[in-house]
Coordinates of all heavy atoms in Angstrom, one line a residue:
M134 N -3.5 -13.8 -0.5 CA -2.7 -13.4 -1.6 C -1.7 -12.3 -1.0 O -1.9 -11.7 0.0 CB -3.5 -12.8 -2.7 CG -3.9 -11.4 -2.5 SD -4.9 -10.7 -3.9 CE -6.3 -11.7 -3.8
Y135 N -0.6 -12.1 -1.7 CA 0.4 -11.2 -1.3 C 0.3 -9.9 -2.2 O 0.1 -10.1 -3.4 CB 1.8 -11.8 -1.5 CG 2.9 -10.9 -0.9 CD1 3.1 -10.9 0.5 CD2 3.6 -10.1 -1.7 CE1 4.1 -10.2 1.0 CE2 4.6 -9.3 -1.1 CZ 4.8 -9.4 0.2 OH 5.8 -8.6 0.8
V136 N 0.3 -8.8 -1.6 CA 0.1 -7.5 -2.4 C 1.1 -6.5 -2.1 O 1.7 -6.5 -1.0 CB -1.3 -6.9 -2.2 CG1 -2.4 -7.9 -2.6 CG2 -1.5 -6.4 -0.8
I137 N 1.4 -5.7 -3.1 CA 2.2 -4.5 -2.9 C 1.3 -3.3 -3.4 O 0.8 -3.4 -4.5 CB 3.5 -4.5 -3.7 CG1 4.4 -5.6 -3.2 CG2 4.2 -3.1 -3.6 CD1 5.6 -5.9 -4.1
L138 N 1.1 -2.3 -2.5 CA 0.2 -1.2 -2.8 C 1.0 0.1 -2.8 O 1.8 0.3 -1.8 CB -0.9 -1.1 -1.8 CG -2.0 0.0 -2.1 CD1 -3.4 -0.6 -1.8 CD2 -1.7 1.2 -1.4
I139 N 0.9 0.9 -3.8 CA 1.6 2.2 -3.9 C 0.6 3.2 -4.3 O -0.2 3.0 -5.2 CB 2.7 2.1 -5.1 CG1 3.6 1.0 -4.8 CG2 3.4 3.5 -5.2 CD1 4.5 0.6 -6.0
Y140 N 0.6 4.3 -3.6 CA -0.3 5.4 -3.9 C 0.4 6.7 -4.1 O 1.5 6.9 -3.6 CB -1.4 5.5 -2.8 CG -1.0 5.9 -1.5 CD1 -0.8 7.3 -1.1 CD2 -0.7 5.0 -0.5 CE1 -0.4 7.7 0.1 CE2 -0.3 5.4 0.8 CZ -0.2 6.7 1.1 OH 0.2 7.1 2.3
D141 N -0.2 7.6 -4.9 CA 0.3 8.9 -5.2 C -0.9 9.9 -5.1 O -1.8 9.8 -5.9 CB 0.9 8.9 -6.5 CG 1.6 10.2 -6.8 OD1 2.0 10.9 -5.9 OD2 1.9 10.5 -8.0
I142 N -0.9 10.7 -4.1 CA -2.0 11.7 -3.9 C -1.5 13.1 -4.2 O -0.5 13.5 -3.7 CB -2.5 11.6 -2.4 CG1 -2.8 10.2 -2.0 CG2 -3.6 12.6 -2.2 CD1 -3.9 9.6 -2.8
A143 N -2.2 13.8 -5.1 CA -1.8 15.1 -5.5 C -2.0 16.1 -4.4 O -2.9 15.9 -3.5 CB -2.7 15.6 -6.7
D144 N -1.2 17.1 -4.3 CA -1.3 18.1 -3.2 C -2.4 19.1 -3.3 O -2.8 19.7 -2.3 CB 0.0 18.9 -3.2 CG 1.2 18.0 -2.7 OD1 1.0 17.1 -2.0 OD2 2.4 18.4 -3.1
E145 N -3.0 19.2 -4.5 CA -4.1 20.2 -4.7 C -5.3 19.9 -3.7 O -5.6 18.8 -3.4 CB -4.6 20.1 -6.1 CG -3.7 20.7 -7.1 CD -2.7 19.6 -7.7 OE1 -3.0 18.4 -7.6 OE2 -1.7 20.0 -8.2
G146 N -5.9 21.0 -3.4 CA -7.1 20.9 -2.5 C -6.8 20.3 -1.2 O -6.0 20.7 -0.4
A147 N -7.5 19.2 -0.9 CA -7.4 18.5 0.4 C -6.4 17.3 0.3 O -6.6 16.3 1.0 CB -8.8 18.0 0.8
G148 N -5.4 17.4 -0.5 CA -4.5 16.4 -0.8 C -3.8 15.8 0.5 O -3.7 14.6 0.7
A149 N -3.4 16.7 1.4 CA -2.7 16.3 2.6 C -3.7 15.5 3.5 O -3.3 14.4 4.0 CB -2.2 17.5 3.4
R150 N -4.9 15.9 3.6 CA -5.9 15.1 4.4 C -6.2 13.8 3.8 O -6.2 12.8 4.5 CB -7.2 16.0 4.5 CG -8.3 15.3 5.4 CD -9.6 16.0 5.4 NE -10.1 16.2 4.1 CZ -10.8 15.3 3.3 NH1 -11.0 14.1 3.9 NH2 -11.3 15.6 2.2
I151 N -6.3 13.8 2.5 CA -6.6 12.5 1.8 C -5.4 11.6 1.9 O -5.6 10.4 2.2 CB -6.9 12.8 0.3 CG1 -8.2 13.5 0.1 CG2 -6.9 11.5 -0.5 CD1 -8.5 14.1 -1.2
S152 N -4.2 12.1 1.8 CA -3.0 11.2 2.0 C -3.0 10.6 3.4 O -2.7 9.4 3.5 CB -1.8 12.1 1.7 OG -0.6 11.3 1.7
R153 N -3.3 11.4 4.4 CA -3.3 10.9 5.8 C -4.3 9.8 5.9 O -4.1 8.7 6.5 CB -3.6 12.0 6.8 CG -2.4 12.8 7.1 CD -2.7 13.7 8.3 NE -3.9 14.5 8.2 CZ -4.0 15.7 7.6 NH1 -2.9 16.2 7.1 NH2 -5.1 16.4 7.6
N154 N -5.5 10.0 5.4 CA -6.6 9.0 5.4 C -6.2 7.7 4.7 O -6.4 6.6 5.2 CB -7.9 9.5 4.9 CG -8.5 10.5 5.9 OD1 -8.4 10.4 7.1 ND2 -9.1 11.6 5.3
I155 N -5.6 7.8 3.5 CA -5.2 6.6 2.8 C -4.2 5.9 3.5 O -4.2 4.7 3.6 CB -4.7 7.1 1.4 CG1 -5.8 7.7 0.5 CG2 -4.1 5.8 0.6 CD1 -7.0 6.9 0.2
F156 N -3.2 6.6 4.1 CA -2.2 6.0 4.9 C -2.7 5.2 6.1 O -2.4 4.0 6.3 CB -1.2 7.1 5.5 CG -0.1 6.5 6.3 CD1 1.1 6.1 5.7 CD2 -0.2 6.3 7.7 CE1 2.1 5.6 6.4 CE2 0.8 5.8 8.4 CZ 2.0 5.4 7.8
K157 N -3.7 5.8 6.8 CA -4.3 5.1 7.9 C -5.1 3.8 7.5 O -5.0 2.8 8.2 CB -5.2 6.0 8.7 CG -4.5 7.1 9.5 CD -5.5 8.0 10.1 CE -4.8 9.2 10.8 NZ -5.8 10.1 11.3
I158 N -5.8 3.9 6.4 CA -6.5 2.8 5.8 C -5.5 1.6 5.5 O -5.7 0.5 5.9 CB -7.3 3.2 4.6 CG1 -8.5 4.1 5.0 CG2 -7.9 2.0 3.9 CD1 -9.2 4.8 3.9
C159 N -4.5 2.0 4.7 CA -3.5 1.0 4.3 C -2.8 0.3 5.5 O -2.6 -0.9 5.5 CB -2.5 1.6 3.4 SG -3.1 2.1 1.8
K160 N -2.5 1.1 6.5 CA -1.9 0.6 7.7 C -2.7 -0.5 8.5 O -2.2 -1.4 9.1 CB -1.6 1.8 8.7 CG -0.7 1.5 9.8 CD 0.8 1.6 9.3 CE 1.6 1.5 10.6 NZ 2.8 0.8 10.4
R161 N -4.1 -0.4 8.3 CA -4.9 -1.4 8.9 C -4.8 -2.8 8.3 O -5.0 -3.8 8.9 CB -6.4 -1.0 8.8 CG -6.8 0.0 9.8 CD -8.3 0.2 9.8 NE -8.5 1.5 9.2 CZ -9.6 1.9 8.5 NH1 -10.6 1.0 8.2 NH2 -9.7 3.1 8.0
Y162 N -4.4 -2.8 7.0 CA -4.4 -4.1 6.3 C -3.1 -4.6 5.9 O -2.9 -5.8 5.7 CB -5.2 -3.9 5.0 CG -6.7 -3.6 5.2 CD1 -7.2 -2.3 5.3 CD2 -7.6 -4.7 5.3 CE1 -8.5 -2.1 5.5 CE2 -9.0 -4.4 5.6 CZ -9.4 -3.1 5.6 OH -10.7 -2.9 5.8
L163 N -2.1 -3.7 5.8 CA -0.8 -4.0 5.2 C 0.4 -3.5 6.1 O 0.1 -2.6 6.9 CB -0.6 -3.5 3.8 CG -1.7 -4.1 2.8 CD1 -1.7 -3.3 1.5 CD2 -1.5 -5.5 2.5
S164 N 1.6 -3.9 5.8 CA 2.8 -3.4 6.5 C 3.3 -2.2 5.7 O 3.5 -2.2 4.5 CB 3.8 -4.4 6.6 OG 3.4 -5.5 7.4
H165 N 3.6 -1.1 6.4 CA 4.2 0.1 5.8 C 5.7 -0.2 5.5 O 6.4 -0.6 6.3 CB 4.1 1.3 6.8 CG 4.6 2.5 6.2 ND1 5.4 3.4 6.9 CD2 4.3 3.1 5.1 CE1 5.6 4.4 6.2 NE2 5.0 4.3 5.1
V166 N 6.0 0.0 4.2 CA 7.4 -0.2 3.8 C 8.2 1.1 3.6 O 9.2 1.2 4.2 CB 7.4 -1.0 2.4 CG1 8.8 -1.2 1.9 CG2 6.7 -2.3 2.6
Q167 N 7.6 2.0 2.9 CA 8.3 3.3 2.7 C 7.3 4.3 2.1 O 6.6 4.0 1.2 CB 9.4 3.0 1.6 CG 10.3 4.2 1.3 CD 11.3 3.9 0.3 OE1 11.1 3.1 -0.6 NE2 12.5 4.4 0.5
K168 N 7.3 5.5 2.8 CA 6.4 6.6 2.4 C 5.1 6.1 2.0 O 4.3 5.8 2.8 CB 7.1 7.4 1.3 CG 8.4 8.0 1.7 CD 8.8 9.2 1.0 CE 10.2 9.6 1.3 NZ 10.4 10.6 2.2
S169 N 4.7 6.0 0.7 CA 3.4 5.6 0.3 C 3.4 4.2 -0.3 O 2.7 3.9 -1.2 CB 2.8 6.6 -0.7 OG 3.7 6.6 -1.9
V170 N 4.2 3.3 0.3 CA 4.3 1.9 -0.2 C 4.0 0.9 1.0 O 4.5 1.1 2.0 CB 5.7 1.6 -0.7 CG1 5.8 0.2 -1.2 CG2 6.1 2.6 -1.8
F171 N 3.1 0.0 0.7 CA 2.7 -1.0 1.7 C 2.7 -2.4 1.0 O 2.6 -2.5 -0.2 CB 1.2 -0.7 2.1 CG 1.1 0.5 2.9 CD1 1.0 1.8 2.3 CD2 1.0 0.4 4.3 CE1 0.9 2.9 3.1 CE2 0.9 1.6 5.1 CZ 0.8 2.8 4.5
E172 N 3.0 -3.4 1.9 CA 3.0 -4.8 1.3 C 2.5 -5.7 2.4 O 2.4 -5.4 3.6 CB 4.4 -5.2 0.9 CG 5.3 -5.3 2.0 CD 6.7 -5.8 1.6 OE1 6.9 -6.0 0.3 OE2 7.6 -5.9 2.4
G173 N 2.1 -6.9 2.0 CA 1.7 -7.9 2.9 C 0.6 -8.9 2.4 O 0.2 -8.8 1.3
E174 N 0.4 -9.9 3.3 CA -0.7 -10.9 2.9 C -2.0 -10.3 3.3 O -2.2 -9.7 4.3 CB -0.4 -12.2 3.8 CG 0.8 -13.0 3.5 CD 0.6 -13.8 2.2 OE1 -0.5 -14.1 1.9 OE2 1.6 -14.2 1.6
I175 N -3.0 -10.6 2.4 CA -4.3 -10.1 2.6 C -5.3 -11.1 1.9 O -5.0 -11.7 0.9 CB -4.5 -8.7 2.0 CG1 -5.7 -8.0 2.4 CG2 -4.3 -8.7 0.5 CD1 -5.8 -6.5 2.0
S176 N -6.5 -11.2 2.5 CA -7.5 -12.1 2.0 C -8.3 -11.4 0.9 O -8.2 -10.1 0.8 CB -8.4 -12.6 3.0 OG -9.2 -11.5 3.5
E177 N -9.0 -12.1 0.1 CA -9.8 -11.5 -1.0 C -10.9 -10.5 -0.4 O -11.1 -9.4 -0.9 CB -10.6 -12.5 -1.8 CG -9.7 -13.4 -2.7 CD -9.3 -12.6 -4.0 OE1 -9.9 -11.6 -4.3 OE2 -8.4 -13.1 -4.6
S178 N -11.5 -10.9 0.7 CA -12.5 -10.1 1.4 C -11.9 -8.8 1.9 O -12.4 -7.7 1.9 CB -13.3 -10.8 2.4 OG -12.4 -11.3 3.4
Q179 N -10.7 -8.9 2.5 CA -10.0 -7.8 3.0 C -9.6 -6.8 1.9 O -9.6 -5.6 2.1 CB -8.7 -8.2 3.8 CG -9.0 -8.8 5.2 CD -7.8 -9.3 5.8 OE1 -6.9 -9.9 5.2 NE2 -7.7 -9.1 7.1
L180 N -9.2 -7.4 0.8 CA -8.8 -6.6 -0.4 C -10.0 -5.8 -0.9 O -9.9 -4.6 -1.2 CB -8.2 -7.4 -1.5 CG -7.7 -6.7 -2.7 CD1 -6.7 -5.7 -2.3 CD2 -7.2 -7.7 -3.7
V181 N -11.2 -6.4 -0.9 CA -12.4 -5.7 -1.3 C -12.7 -4.5 -0.3 O -13.0 -3.4 -0.7 CB -13.6 -6.7 -1.4 CG1 -14.9 -5.9 -1.5 CG2 -13.4 -7.6 -2.5
E182 N -12.5 -4.8 1.0 CA -12.7 -3.8 2.0 C -11.7 -2.6 1.8 O -12.1 -1.4 1.9 CB -12.6 -4.3 3.4 CG -13.6 -5.3 3.9 CD -13.3 -5.9 5.2 OE1 -12.3 -5.4 5.9 OE2 -14.0 -6.9 5.6
L183 N -10.5 -3.0 1.6 CA -9.4 -2.0 1.4 C -9.7 -1.1 0.2 O -9.7 0.1 0.2 CB -8.1 -2.7 1.2 CG -6.9 -1.8 0.9 CD1 -6.6 -0.8 1.9 CD2 -5.7 -2.7 0.6
R184 N -10.1 -1.8 -0.9 CA -10.4 -1.1 -2.2 C -11.6 -0.1 -2.0 O -11.5 1.1 -2.4 CB -10.7 -2.0 -3.3 CG -11.0 -1.4 -4.6 CD -11.3 -2.4 -5.7 NE -11.7 -1.8 -6.9 CZ -13.0 -1.5 -7.2 NH1 -13.9 -1.7 -6.4 NH2 -13.2 -0.9 -8.3
L185 N -12.6 -0.5 -1.3 CA -13.8 0.3 -1.1 C -13.5 1.5 -0.2 O -13.9 2.6 -0.4 CB -15.0 -0.5 -0.5 CG -15.6 -1.5 -1.5 CD1 -16.6 -2.3 -0.7 CD2 -16.2 -0.8 -2.7
S186 N -12.7 1.2 0.8 CA -12.3 2.3 1.8 C -11.4 3.4 1.0 O -11.7 4.6 1.2 CB -11.5 1.7 2.9 OG -12.3 0.9 3.7
I187 N -10.5 2.9 0.2 CA -9.6 3.9 -0.5 C -10.4 4.6 -1.5 O -10.3 5.8 -1.7 CB -8.4 3.1 -1.1 CG1 -7.4 2.7 0.0 CG2 -7.7 4.0 -2.1 CD1 -6.3 1.8 -0.5
K188 N -11.3 3.9 -2.2 CA -12.0 4.5 -3.3 C -12.9 5.6 -2.8 O -13.1 6.6 -3.6 CB -12.9 3.4 -4.0 CG -13.6 3.8 -5.2 CD -14.4 2.6 -5.8 CE -15.1 3.1 -7.1 NZ -15.9 2.0 -7.7
S189 N -13.3 5.6 -1.6 CA -14.1 6.7 -1.1 C -13.3 8.0 -0.9 O -13.9 9.1 -0.7 CB -14.8 6.3 0.2 OG -13.8 6.2 1.2
F190 N -12.0 7.9 -0.9 CA -11.2 9.1 -0.7 C -10.5 9.6 -2.0 O -10.3 10.8 -2.2 CB -10.1 8.8 0.3 CG -10.6 8.8 1.7 CD1 -10.9 7.6 2.4 CD2 -10.9 10.0 2.4 CE1 -11.4 7.6 3.7 CE2 -11.4 10.0 3.7 CZ -11.6 8.8 4.3
I191 N -10.0 8.7 -2.9 CA -9.2 9.2 -4.0 C -10.0 9.9 -5.0 O -11.2 9.7 -5.2 CB -8.4 8.0 -4.7 CG1 -9.4 7.0 -5.3 CG2 -7.4 7.4 -3.7 CD1 -8.7 6.0 -6.2
R192 N -9.4 10.9 -5.6 CA -10.0 11.7 -6.7 C -9.4 11.1 -8.0 O -8.2 11.2 -8.3 CB -9.6 13.1 -6.5 CG -10.0 13.7 -5.2 CD -9.3 14.9 -4.8 NE -7.8 14.6 -4.6 CZ -6.9 15.5 -4.2 NH1 -7.3 16.8 -4.1 NH2 -5.7 15.2 -4.1
T193 N -10.3 10.5 -8.8 CA -9.9 9.8 -10.0 C -9.2 10.7 -11.0 O -8.4 10.1 -11.8 CB -11.0 9.0 -10.6 OG1 -12.1 10.0 -11.0 CG2 -11.6 8.0 -9.7
D194 N -9.4 12.0 -10.9 CA -8.7 12.8 -11.9 C -7.4 13.4 -11.4 O -6.6 13.9 -12.1 CB -9.6 14.0 -12.2 CG -10.0 14.8 -11.0 OD1 -10.1 14.2 -9.9 OD2 -10.3 16.0 -11.2
L195 N -7.0 13.1 -10.1 CA -5.8 13.6 -9.5 C -4.9 12.6 -8.9 O -3.7 12.7 -8.9 CB -6.1 14.7 -8.5 CG -6.8 16.0 -8.9 CD1 -7.1 16.8 -7.7 CD2 -5.9 16.8 -9.9
D196 N -5.5 11.6 -8.3 CA -4.8 10.6 -7.5 C -4.7 9.2 -8.2 O -5.5 8.9 -9.1 CB -5.5 10.4 -6.1 CG -5.7 11.8 -5.4 OD1 -4.9 12.7 -5.5 OD2 -6.8 11.9 -4.8
S197 N -3.7 8.4 -7.7 CA -3.6 7.1 -8.3 C -3.2 6.1 -7.2 O -2.5 6.4 -6.2 CB -2.6 7.0 -9.4 OG -1.3 7.3 -9.0
V198 N -3.6 4.8 -7.4 CA -3.2 3.7 -6.5 C -2.9 2.6 -7.5 O -3.6 2.3 -8.4 CB -4.4 3.3 -5.6 CG1 -4.0 2.1 -4.8 CG2 -4.8 4.4 -4.7
I199 N -1.7 2.0 -7.2 CA -1.3 0.8 -8.0 C -1.2 -0.4 -7.1 O -0.6 -0.3 -6.0 CB 0.1 1.1 -8.6 CG1 0.1 2.3 -9.5 CG2 0.6 -0.1 -9.4 CD1 1.4 2.8 -10.0
L200 N -1.7 -1.5 -7.5 CA -1.8 -2.7 -6.7 C -1.1 -3.8 -7.5 O -1.6 -4.2 -8.6 CB -3.2 -3.0 -6.3 CG -3.3 -4.2 -5.3 CD1 -2.9 -3.8 -3.9 CD2 -4.8 -4.7 -5.3
F201 N -0.1 -4.4 -6.9 CA 0.5 -5.6 -7.5 C 0.1 -6.8 -6.7 O 0.2 -6.7 -5.4 CB 2.1 -5.5 -7.5 CG 2.6 -4.4 -8.3 CD1 2.9 -3.2 -7.7 CD2 2.9 -4.5 -9.6 CE1 3.4 -2.1 -8.4 CE2 3.4 -3.5 -10.4 CZ 3.7 -2.3 -9.7
T202 N -0.4 -7.8 -7.3 CA -0.8 -9.0 -6.5 C -0.1 -10.3 -7.0 O 0.3 -10.4 -8.2 CB -2.4 -9.3 -6.7 OG1 -2.6 -9.5 -8.1 CG2 -3.1 -8.1 -6.2
G203 N 0.1 -11.2 -6.1 CA 0.7 -12.5 -6.4 C 0.3 -13.5 -5.4 O -0.3 -13.2 -4.3
N204 N 0.5 -14.7 -5.7 CA 0.1 -15.8 -4.8 C 1.1 -16.1 -3.7 O 0.7 -16.7 -2.7 CB -0.2 -17.1 -5.6 CG -1.4 -16.9 -6.5 OD1 -2.3 -16.2 -6.2 ND2 -1.4 -17.6 -7.6
N205 N 2.3 -15.7 -3.9 CA 3.4 -16.1 -3.0 C 4.5 -15.1 -2.9 O 5.1 -14.8 -3.9 CB 4.0 -17.5 -3.4 CG 4.8 -18.1 -2.4 OD1 5.4 -17.4 -1.5 ND2 4.9 -19.4 -2.4
P206 N 4.8 -14.5 -1.7 CA 5.8 -13.5 -1.7 C 7.2 -14.1 -2.0 O 8.2 -13.3 -2.3 CB 5.8 -13.0 -0.2 CG 5.1 -14.1 0.5 CD 4.2 -14.8 -0.5
K207 N 7.4 -15.4 -2.0 CA 8.7 -16.0 -2.3 C 9.1 -15.8 -3.7 O 10.2 -15.9 -4.1 CB 8.7 -17.5 -2.0 CG 8.6 -17.8 -0.5 CD 8.5 -19.3 -0.2 CE 8.2 -19.6 1.2 NZ 8.1 -21.0 1.5
W208 N 8.1 -15.5 -4.6 CA 8.4 -15.2 -6.0 C 8.9 -13.9 -6.3 O 9.3 -13.5 -7.4 CB 7.1 -15.5 -6.8 CG 6.7 -16.9 -6.7 CD1 6.1 -17.5 -5.7 CD2 6.8 -17.9 -7.8 NE1 5.8 -18.8 -6.0 CE2 6.2 -19.1 -7.3 CE3 7.3 -17.8 -9.1 CZ2 6.2 -20.2 -8.0 CZ3 7.2 -19.0 -9.8 CH2 6.7 -20.2 -9.3
L209 N 8.9 -13.0 -5.2 CA 9.4 -11.6 -5.4 C 10.8 -11.5 -4.8 O 11.1 -12.0 -3.8 CB 8.5 -10.7 -4.6 CG 7.0 -10.6 -5.1 CD1 6.3 -9.7 -4.1 CD2 6.9 -10.1 -6.5
K210 N 11.6 -10.9 -5.6 CA 13.0 -10.6 -5.1 C 13.0 -9.1 -4.8 O 12.8 -8.2 -5.6 CB 14.0 -10.9 -6.2 CG 15.4 -10.7 -5.7 CD 16.4 -11.1 -6.8 CE 17.8 -10.9 -6.4 NZ 18.8 -11.2 -7.4
K211 N 13.3 -8.8 -3.5 CA 13.3 -7.4 -3.1 C 14.8 -6.9 -3.0 O 15.6 -7.6 -2.4 CB 12.7 -7.3 -1.6 CG 12.5 -5.9 -1.2 CD 12.1 -5.8 0.3 CE 10.8 -6.5 0.5 NZ 10.3 -6.3 1.9
Q212 N 15.0 -5.8 -3.6 CA 16.3 -5.2 -3.6 C 16.2 -3.8 -3.1 O 15.2 -3.1 -3.4 CB 16.9 -5.1 -5.1 CG 17.2 -6.4 -5.7 CD 17.7 -6.2 -7.1 OE1 18.0 -5.1 -7.6 NE2 17.9 -7.3 -7.8
F213 N 17.2 -3.3 -2.4 CA 17.3 -2.0 -1.8 C 18.4 -1.3 -2.5 O 19.5 -1.8 -2.6 CB 17.5 -2.0 -0.3 CG 16.3 -2.4 0.5 CD1 16.1 -3.7 0.8 CD2 15.3 -1.5 0.8 CE1 15.0 -4.2 1.5 CE2 14.2 -1.9 1.5 CZ 14.1 -3.2 1.9
W214 N 18.2 0.0 -2.9 CA 19.2 0.8 -3.4 C 19.2 2.0 -2.5 O 18.2 2.7 -2.4 CB 18.9 1.3 -4.9 CG 18.9 0.2 -5.9 CD1 19.2 -1.2 -5.6 CD2 18.4 0.2 -7.2 NE1 19.0 -1.9 -6.8 CE2 18.5 -1.1 -7.8 CE3 18.0 1.3 -8.0 CZ2 18.2 -1.4 -9.1 CZ3 17.7 1.0 -9.3 CH2 17.8 -0.3 -9.8
G215 N 20.3 2.3 -1.9 CA 20.4 3.3 -0.9 C 20.1 2.8 0.5 O 20.6 1.6 0.8
I216 N 19.5 3.5 1.4 CA 19.3 3.1 2.8 C 18.3 1.8 2.8 O 17.2 1.8 2.2 CB 18.6 4.2 3.6 CG1 19.5 5.4 3.6 CG2 18.3 3.7 5.0 CD1 18.9 6.6 4.3
E217 N 18.8 0.8 3.5 CA 18.0 -0.4 3.5 C 17.2 -0.4 4.8 O 17.8 -0.4 5.9 CB 18.9 -1.6 3.5 CG 18.2 -2.9 3.5 CD 19.0 -4.2 3.2 OE1 20.1 -4.0 2.6 OE2 18.6 -5.2 3.7
D218 N 15.9 -0.5 4.7 CA 15.0 -0.5 5.8 C 14.0 -1.6 5.5 O 12.9 -1.3 5.1 CB 14.3 0.8 6.0 CG 13.5 0.8 7.3 OD1 13.6 -0.1 8.1 OD2 12.7 1.8 7.4
D219 N 14.3 -2.8 5.8 CA 13.4 -3.9 5.6 C 12.5 -4.2 6.8 O 12.6 -5.2 7.5 CB 14.2 -5.2 5.2 CG 13.3 -6.3 4.6 OD1 12.1 -6.0 4.4 OD2 13.9 -7.3 4.3
A220 N 11.6 -3.3 7.0 CA 10.7 -3.3 8.2 C 9.9 -4.6 8.2 O 9.6 -5.1 9.3 CB 9.8 -2.1 8.2
T221 N 9.5 -5.1 7.1 CA 8.6 -6.3 7.0 C 9.4 -7.6 7.4 O 8.8 -8.6 7.7 CB 8.0 -6.5 5.7 OG1 9.0 -6.6 4.7 CG2 7.0 -5.3 5.4
S222 N 10.7 -7.6 7.4 CA 11.5 -8.8 7.7 C 11.6 -9.0 9.2 O 12.0 -10.1 9.6 CB 12.9 -8.7 7.2 OG 13.7 -7.7 7.9
N223 N 11.1 -8.1 10.0 CA 11.1 -8.2 11.5 C 9.9 -8.9 12.0 O 9.7 -9.0 13.2 CB 11.2 -6.8 12.1 CG 12.5 -6.2 11.8 OD1 13.5 -6.8 11.5 ND2 12.6 -4.9 11.8
M224 N 9.0 -9.4 11.1 CA 7.8 -10.0 11.6 C 8.1 -11.4 12.1 O 9.0 -12.1 11.6 CB 6.8 -10.2 10.4 CG 6.4 -8.8 9.9 SD 5.5 -9.0 8.4 CE 3.9 -8.4 8.8
L225 N 7.4 -11.8 13.2 CA 7.6 -13.1 13.8 C 6.7 -14.1 13.2 O 5.6 -13.9 12.8 CB 7.4 -13.1 15.3 CG 8.4 -12.2 16.0 CD1 8.0 -12.1 17.5 CD2 9.8 -12.7 15.9

């Protein structure tokens, strides 16, 4: 399945450490697009692993993660406003 993952980690407390850990976890499974945005193909089992890994760090009262899922990336139209950095288009 194709996913887009966006996270927002509050600065309070250990926010910086949590944000770094979430970034590293997401980088293992998906392509980094911009700041706290990742996208890519992922299997159901990998998605479960990703969710469990992230869940161990986020604080449900302060942080949020949004996941958009789809069966095919061709159904998504990507537009850039401002600086265009389509890092995922360089994949072979």
Side-chain angles (χ1 to χ4, degrees):
M134 86 176 65
Y135 190 80
V136 301
I137 298 172
L138 184 143
I139 303 165
Y140 64 86
D141 187 20
I142 307 300
D144 291 333
E145 288 89 23
R150 181 185 57 81
I151 292 169
S152 186
R153 278 192 308 274
N154 286 324
I155 299 295
F156 181 89
K157 289 177 185 177
I158 291 167
C159 291
K160 192 84 169 143
R161 277 188 255 152
Y162 296 92
L163 301 167
S164 297
H165 183 228
V166 176
Q167 184 180 35
K168 301 205 190 256
S169 59
V170 180
F171 290 81
E172 69 178 0
E174 290 283 338
I175 192 169
S176 69
E177 288 283 345
S178 60
Q179 288 174 319
L180 184 57
V181 169
E182 290 173 12
L183 174 62
R184 182 178 174 273
L185 291 173
S186 296
I187 289 175
K188 190 176 178 182
S189 68
F190 285 102
I191 62 167
R192 302 160 295 180
T193 57
D194 58 330
L195 296 173
D196 308 324
S197 66
V198 177
I199 302 170
L200 185 72
F201 298 93
T202 61
N204 293 330
N205 191 335
K207 294 178 185 177
W208 294 72
L209 299 173
K210 182 177 180 182
K211 188 188 298 185
Q212 295 181 6
F213 288 92
W214 298 353
I216 297 173
E217 183 172 337
D218 183 15
D219 193 4
T221 58
S222 69
N223 296 332
M224 297 170 117
L225 298 176

